[in-house]
Amino acid sequence: MPLLLHNWRNIVALWITAVDAADDEGLHALLDLLQKVAHDLRTTLSPVYADLLAKLLNFLPRPIATPALTALLATLSELFKYLLVPSIHLDLLQQTWSSFHAVLPSCSSEVQRAAGEVWASVLRRLKTSAREKAVHLMANNLDGVEIASAWMLIFACKSVSSTLHTTSSSIIRPLIDCYLTSPDPGPLYTLLRRTLTSIIHHCKDAVQFSGVADPLITLFSTIVNQPPSNEVEIERLRRILELISVVCSVRQGSRLTPSHLSQLASALPNIQICAPIETALLHFSASILTAGDMSMATNVGHLFILEALKVPKFGTSLLGALAELSWGEWKLVALPALLRSTTDLLTMEPKQTLRLLSSLALADKLGEVDVVWRRTVDVWLSERLSRWELTPDGVNELRNLLSLSVYAEKTPVLLVGIVQRMLDAPNPEESWNASHANTAWALWTCMHSLGNSQNASWRQQVDLVEWTRTVVRRWSWSHCVLNGLAGLTQLRQDNFSLSGKDLSMMVFLISPLSSDATSFSEIYLHLRTCISSHSRSLRLSALKILSSKLVKSSPGEQDVLKRCLQGEEVSLDAQGVRERVLRIGRIGQVIKDGEPLATDLCIRWLISQLKVNLRPLWSPAAEALSSLAKRFGDSVWACFFDELQAITRVAETCRLPEWLSENVEQGVNEDPWEDERTWRDGAAHKIRSAISSWLDQEHDRKCIILDQKSSDRFDLVSFETQLISTMGQCASLVEKHNRELVPFFLAITQIHQPQGTPFNGNAL
């Protein structure tokens, strides 16, 4: 030992020289040696602490072997334990953190997590003043080490057997103070949210978590009981509300004792609702109400809801979030308050109130309403529908109005007028390209509502045959409008199918104002492209319209329609593939000679099966087309060649409007979903997502865009391959029409051939 003390500088110098040239095995031995030297010499090594630390930290980003990495982390832990922790100089702590912080961003996530555990042991061992200083250093410099810092705090707070370490409160409290005063609270809030969520998951019950919950709730009560008098204090209140919401929402507040929950709930009446804290207060109130029991809901919760409804925008958002979260006391506490306030809310905040009532009606959470309330809503809805116009705000409102149509007797009659106006509107495709608020969506939603209406009075005012003619002529490109019309035609057919009666009598029974039934050829002329479309919705709607009693068709056409419709109604999944293959194989058997339209319909429907992204359908469809080519060669070739030409124009015909390309998927919101399992919680995420949804002013617009998005995906390359393969099975037919096919292929080759390049026959 005396020799070691006398020659320690030489030993350290030799160690530094050796470690630079060591391989993984040698590095492991040298690191083990340094641990023993640090254990023996301790603070004697303080003069070279910075050099040793820099040398060790240089190895962290390197791809070294696992045993060497384990030894490296153990050596850092020993170095901190024997040199950093005993030091009375806080400057050394700052230098150490600066060096540690500089290296961590270049390390892998696994190394960052392991290094976080090393620093967590330092936080536990430091004295209270030094620990507070270390937490402040971390909080003030999170750039690049957000994830590593979270692991440091989590490992420092966790203990064995689902308990928290005794130093947890002295680690979390300084961090909260930094969060409340920081000019940029976002990163610190994320750090606290991750830390609190993880340690709540770690704790078995509320008793183990009380070490962190007690000081946090005490601080919360102190801030809330002092009404804010300036912007700084309002911002401080907002931040503590956001933070306490995390504790209340994770695991539905099960790690808070009944005393904690009662103390938090009693603070609700003391918080004045104002714009700067509305979002935070929504998070807190929704979290505490869903975490509490019935006694809390019927006392403090009931009073707060009544107070919240005096601020209509806030109150409707809170009730909407509670309903979406399926709050257990909704029917007992929230619903009566809402029904009593409906008249005032519709006057002061019509848009948000309408959305709330609409969502409740769709979720069947309005329950039994009295005659007075129903009459109020009836009058209000009728007035809004009677002066409805096609504008972005009007379309957003129409979506919610129709959800409440069951409470307004005049709604169907008013909707007939809207449908008639939309049918007469000019340039429907331009309207669709320009905005989500287009005539196509308005037509679909009104027709859909009429089809679901229990009030049959509107049927006396509708010439459904004329509607059908107009829709297929002007909106055959819209899967929404065709779907709405198909629903009406099927509804009529189900309600008035009278076997053995004359067709003209059937049409008369369908609607007194209806003109004669339209011919199959007239309607099919506009819908034949829909039959061969890649969109299942378009194909199914077109087949339903053609097979309805509004369209006069021959027995042969009816047989083909029936077979195609039966095949199209089979689900496009693994369970339905066998039945659909069977339908495809049998459809050609019902085609009779002398039925050109039925033949064309069958061919187009079989071609559409080549566009379906379900491989087992392709071979049966190709075989069926090959079989038809032997009987109806010219008809099959005409459809083949049309599809080939359409492939070259697909880039021009498949352009989507800008509004339809927006990312407005449901569930996409501001609340992140953490990749690390212990940092996330389903209950807390659900609350934050619900609040985010009800604060989203673009919610209705996004829903309307989603209504108009097609779920069908067209794989052009796959279809082109299958079409060429199918043509290969009809070799004699292709050879017969080679005078058309060869020039077409040559033209395609010239289009894609660079200018000035000689023709290459292999390009074919």
Side-chain angles (χ1 to χ4, degrees), residues 351-390:
K351 179 180 177 181
Q352 192 78 344
T353 305
L354 178 61
R355 179 188 167 188
L356 173 60
L357 295 176
S358 170
S359 65
L360 294 176
L362 291 174
D364 197 22
K365 291 185 177 179
L366 278 175
E368 296 293 333
V369 295
D370 57 37
V371 177
V372 176
W373 188 90
R374 185 183 290 268
R375 186 182 301 116
T376 300
V377 173
D378 186 356
V379 172
W380 191 85
L381 286 178
S382 299
E383 188 270 336
R384 305 291 282 200
L385 284 174
S386 63
R387 55 186 180 87
W388 183 85
E389 296 293 338
L390 182 65

Side-chain angles (χ1 to χ4, degrees), residues 457-464 492 496 506-515:
S457 60
W458 63 274
R459 298 173 184 173
Q460 307 299 320
Q461 306 178 23
V462 171
D463 184 350
L464 195 54
R492 300 304 197 179
F496 299 102
M506 175 65 69
V507 175
F508 175 77
L509 289 174
I510 287 173
S511 174
L513 298 182
S514 294
S515 55

Side-chain angles (χ1 to χ4, degrees), residues 603-664:
I603 295 169
R604 289 181 181 275
W605 186 78
L606 288 172
I607 289 176
S608 72
Q609 303 310 294
L610 300 177
K611 301 179 181 180
V612 176
N613 295 316
L614 201 59
R615 185 182 294 272
L617 303 183
W618 298 340
S619 294
E623 292 174 4
L625 285 167
S626 176
S627 176
L628 287 177
K630 298 174 182 178
R631 297 174 55 195
F632 310 101
D634 291 341
S635 298
V636 173
W637 172 254
C639 293
F640 277 170
F641 198 64
D642 283 347
E643 292 295 331
L644 279 176
Q645 291 176 317
I647 289 174
T648 62
R649 301 191 301 266
V650 70
E652 301 175 1
T653 58
C654 291
R655 291 176 182 172
L656 294 177
E658 293 183 3
W659 59 267
L660 200 57
S661 304
E662 297 179 21
N663 182 21
V664 293

Side-chain angles (χ1 to χ4, degrees), residues 285-331:
S285 55
S287 300
I288 193 65
L289 288 175
T290 52
D293 54 13
M294 182 184 293
S295 61
M296 179 191 297
T298 54
N299 292 297
V300 177
H302 177 65
L303 295 175
F304 181 74
I305 287 174
L306 292 178
E307 193 67 26
L309 288 174
K310 295 179 182 178
V311 184
K313 187 175 181 180
F314 177 85
T316 52
S317 299
L318 174 62
L319 293 185
L322 290 174
E324 187 173 331
L325 295 169
S326 300
W327 184 37
E329 314 307 325
W330 166 262
K331 190 173 182 180

